[in-house]
Amino acid sequence: MTQETDAQPWIVADVDVDVRKHAPATLRNREAIAAALRKVLPMTGLVLEIASGSGEHCAYLATVFDHLEWQPSDPDAGGRASIAAWCDGLANVRPPVDLDAAAQDWPVARADAILCANMVHISPWQATLGLLDGAGRVLPTRGPLILYGPYLRDGHPTAPSNEAFDQSLKSRDRSWGLRRVEDVAVAAGHHGLVLGEIVEMPANNLTLVFRRD
């Protein structure tokens, strides 16, 4: 089965006309992600999305969950321009903010839920630690941190496609690579976050649901 995160993740048809980026995996996984989110997102409040990328997930999910307010973010200026373009006209989406998950200070002081899709494996481990630290600061008690993407799990054979993807990531940047669920859970515990659910997703991906203790 084809791994969702492509080696060339963005496609821009004409940068002079349209700043929107396109991640091909979005159309394949957005409905499955929405189905998983239906069980864990709060009925009201603000959802902070970390590393929103192209902004396509945010635009789609804000339409599906229009009872929630959405705060997209990305440290890349081009990404934020793409997010703003995709979410243009959506009343429940705030303007994207410049947020580096690894930073000590975030421009968002509180959120009722946090979503982060396909960042943990395409960033240094320090970014994941920063994400967990930030989630521990801004989430309320029982607030969910939802991570989506490919992971390794003790006692579960790794799909050949994920093994190949892991090697490809490490060849591009030695600090990247698929993370063990157990390592993420231990690190999360240091910030008051408890892994409550692991949801099997299409294309050998997982959704991990942590709750603020």
Side-chain angles (χ1 to χ4, degrees), residues 11-76:
I11 297 174
V12 183
D14 187 339
V15 294
D16 294 328
V17 175
D18 192 347
V19 299
R20 291 180 300 174
K21 298 180 180 181
H22 172 54
T26 303
L27 292 178
R28 299 195 298 269
N29 63 33
R30 65 183 189 178
E31 292 182 4
I33 292 174
L37 292 179
R38 284 191 182 94
K39 301 176 182 179
V40 297
L41 287 180
M43 293 303 298
T44 60
L46 175 68
V47 181
L48 169 62
E49 186 183 21
I50 303 294
S52 299
S54 68
E56 293 167 279
H57 273 147
C58 187
Y60 174 74
L61 295 172
T63 302
V64 174
F65 301 98
D66 58 1
H67 58 286
L68 294 168
E69 189 173 10
W70 291 80
Q71 176 61 76
S73 71
D74 203 274
D76 176 68

Side-chain angles (χ1 to χ4, degrees), residues 179-191:
R179 314 299 181 186
R180 292 175 61 250
V181 170
E182 292 77 13
D183 291 338
V184 179
V186 168
H190 297 318
H191 301 283

